[in-house]
Amino acid sequence: VASSPRPPQQGRSMTMAAKRTSISSSKRTVGRPAKVAKVTPSSGADKFAPVMRLMSEYCSLSESCTSMLASALPVALQTNKEGRHAFENSVIKAFEDACGDAEKECMSAIEAAKVACSKHQEEKAGSVANLELAERNAAKALEQKNAAQGFHDQKQAEKEKAETALKGAEQASEASKAEVQEVSSKREAFEAEVEQVLPALKEGNFAPKDWRLRQKAIARLSHLLEQSDAPESMVAGAQLAFKDKPESRGQFAVKTVEATEACLKTYSQALAQAIVGASEKSEELRGDMVAKEEVAKASQSEYEAAMDALITADNEWADAESEVVGLKKSIRGFGPREEDLAAELRGSQTSFEGFQELMRQFESFRDQLLAPALEVAAEGAEATTSMPAAGGEQA
């Protein structure tokens, strides 16, 4: 007898219920891990953007390595930590190594920036100390320059005074020599005139017919007496006494001739004595001129030495001032440089903070434990096979 057929839906539901019960039962095959749903790389692009930033901004990787990690890393991070494949762990490890190198670079950049700032501060402090020393040196150089200027001015005044004294001594010596020459010439002319006039008048060598020549000679003799500072009485007596021949002269005329001759001789001797005195004075003035020449030479040498010292002091002061100006300019440049270095340090620190934040997000992805998904029925194929076909009968 044919049995009545079971309702298809009821039999299917009972079968499915039995199969669902087997999913949670302890009869599941040991050693098979629970299956977890996985997402394609494109589906987690936004989610893992911090990891991609960490890779692109901080990790120093080759283009091929970056491309590979960009594709594989998100997939590996989406896999439950406990269920990751060895390859996925190696991908994460490779990225961790790259991040470790990046962290070292960040720390090195911060350390380098700190060293640069510290070195800059040391250089600034050194420049300030150097400026203080340079300013003291410049002040000392200015004092030495002023002292050298004062010494130079003193020696210049002494030189000018010595030159003026030498010029006066030279003029006095020249005047004295001219005086000696003048007196000598005067004596020579006087004696020559006396030699031409006195013997002929004294001896009466003029013939009566040469009375005009005699009168001219007497006139010349009178002029010689006047030069000799003879008294007027002698000049007048001589004019009469020398008209007579020697033998015709009276006693008074003879005395007048003798007095005239003695007066002329005395005057000649006075001129000779004047020549001696003028010569002695000339020699004295010449000696004074030579002494003043030596003083002028010494003053000139001292002035030149003072000039050299002033030039040296002026150059040293100029160099010291130039150093002060250069250091001040250098110190003014420390401000902008200090700001740049501080900005570099802040940038390095900010970059490291960004690295740390991105690193924390990466580690949260790396260490997360995803809630296990429902396992696809291992025996799905068997359940499908055991279900009767629609409209079929159960034996």
Side-chain angles (χ1 to χ4, degrees), residues 8-69:
Q9 294 300 328
Q10 183 181 1
R12 181 182 293 269
S13 62
M14 290 177 64
T15 305
M16 291 299 292
K19 290 296 183 180
R20 286 194 185 98
T21 302
S22 66
I23 292 176
S24 59
S25 66
S26 59
K27 294 181 179 180
R28 183 170 59 86
T29 306
V30 178
R32 293 183 62 186
K35 295 185 178 180
V36 179
K38 297 186 179 180
V39 185
T40 58
S42 60
S43 65
D46 293 337
K47 177 181 179 181
F48 294 102
V51 179
M52 296 299 101
R53 278 188 57 200
L54 180 60
M55 183 187 305
S56 62
E57 294 180 11
Y58 292 95
C59 296
S60 300
L61 299 170
S62 64
E63 183 177 355
S64 60
C65 185
T66 301
S67 178
M68 187 275 291
L69 284 176

Side-chain angles (χ1 to χ4, degrees), residues 73-84:
L73 185 59
V75 179
L77 292 175
Q78 288 184 95
T79 305
N80 194 309
K81 179 179 179 181
E82 295 180 352
R84 286 180 187 142

Side-chain angles (χ1 to χ4, degrees), residues 65-390:
C65 185
T66 301
S67 178
M68 187 275 291
L69 284 176
S71 299
L73 185 59
V75 179
L77 292 175
Q78 288 184 95
T79 305
N80 194 309
K81 179 179 179 181
E82 295 180 352
R84 286 180 187 142
H85 191 277
F87 175 76
E88 292 174 328
N89 288 328
S90 68
V91 169
I92 294 173
K93 180 63 169 60
F95 184 67
E96 288 175 339
D97 292 343
C99 290
D101 293 338
E103 183 178 16
K104 291 178 181 177
E105 291 179 3
C106 289
M107 296 299 293
S108 296
I110 292 174
E111 185 63 26
K114 288 181 178 179
V115 170
C117 289
S118 177
K119 184 177 180 181
H120 179 75
Q121 291 299 326
E122 291 176 359
E123 291 176 354
K124 181 179 179 180
S127 295
V128 171
N130 291 337
L131 176 60
E132 293 175 355
L133 177 60
E135 287 177 337
R136 290 196 297 271
N137 291 338
K140 184 178 180 180
L142 180 60
E143 292 178 0
Q144 293 176 345
K145 173 181 174 293
N146 291 337
Q149 183 68 58
F151 186 71
H152 167 270
D153 294 344
Q154 175 187 345
K155 292 304 176 181
Q156 184 178 19
E158 291 177 358
K159 178 181 81 72
E160 292 174 353
K161 182 179 179 180
E163 289 174 347
T164 300
L166 174 60
K167 186 176 181 180
E170 289 174 343
Q171 291 175 347
S173 178
E174 290 297 323
S176 179
K177 289 195 311 186
E179 183 182 358
V180 171
Q181 185 64 34
E182 181 183 357
V183 175
S184 297
S185 299
K186 186 177 181 179
R187 181 173 183 269
E188 290 175 2
F190 180 81
E191 289 184 346
E193 185 72 1
V194 170
E195 188 65 25
Q196 291 177 6
V197 174
L198 183 61
L201 290 175
K202 180 180 178 181
E203 300 297 331
N205 294 335
F206 294 96
K209 65 181 183 66
D210 296 328
W211 62 273
R212 290 185 179 84
L213 294 177
R214 184 193 64 203
Q215 287 301 113
K216 288 182 179 181
I218 291 174
R220 291 169 65 185
L221 180 63
S222 297
H223 181 66
L224 290 173
L225 288 172
E226 290 173 354
Q227 284 183 324
S228 303
D229 294 329
E232 292 182 2
S233 58
M234 183 182 292
V235 176
Q239 292 175 352
L240 296 174
F242 283 99
K243 286 183 179 180
D244 298 331
K245 293 286 186 179
E247 60 273 13
S248 302
R249 293 173 186 153
Q251 183 179 2
F252 181 75
V254 172
K255 288 184 178 180
T256 300
V257 170
E258 292 175 351
T260 298
E261 186 176 12
C263 180
L264 295 175
K265 185 177 181 180
T266 299
Y267 182 68
S268 177
Q269 291 174 348
L271 288 176
Q273 188 63 34
I275 292 172
V276 172
S279 298
E280 291 177 352
K281 182 180 179 181
S282 178
E283 285 298 318
E284 180 181 350
L285 291 174
R286 182 176 178 280
D288 182 62
M289 181 189 69
V290 170
K292 285 182 169 56
E293 282 180 348
E294 294 300 321
V295 172
K297 287 179 180 179
S299 297
Q300 180 67 30
S301 298
E302 292 176 358
Y303 169 75
E304 291 175 355
M307 175 62 77
D308 292 339
L310 175 59
I311 292 173
T312 299
D314 189 70
N315 290 337
E316 291 177 352
W317 171 77
D319 291 341
E321 278 296 307
S322 178
E323 184 177 0
V324 170
V325 172
L327 286 171
K328 286 182 177 180
K329 182 178 180 181
S330 176
I331 290 173
R332 285 195 299 270
F334 275 105
R337 177 58 178 161
E338 186 173 355
E339 293 176 0
D340 293 341
L341 291 174
E344 290 180 10
L345 177 57
R346 289 194 299 271
S348 297
Q349 291 172 335
T350 301
S351 177
F352 183 58
E353 290 171 0
F355 170 82
Q356 289 177 317
E357 176 59 28
L358 294 174
M359 199 61 192
R360 281 192 292 269
Q361 295 183 52
F362 161 71
E363 290 171 349
S364 68
F365 291 132
R366 180 195 64 188
D367 299 334
Q368 68 183 341
L369 294 173
L370 300 176
L374 294 178
E375 183 181 277
V376 178
E379 306 296 335
E382 297 177 1
T384 303
T385 305
S386 65
M387 284 191 304

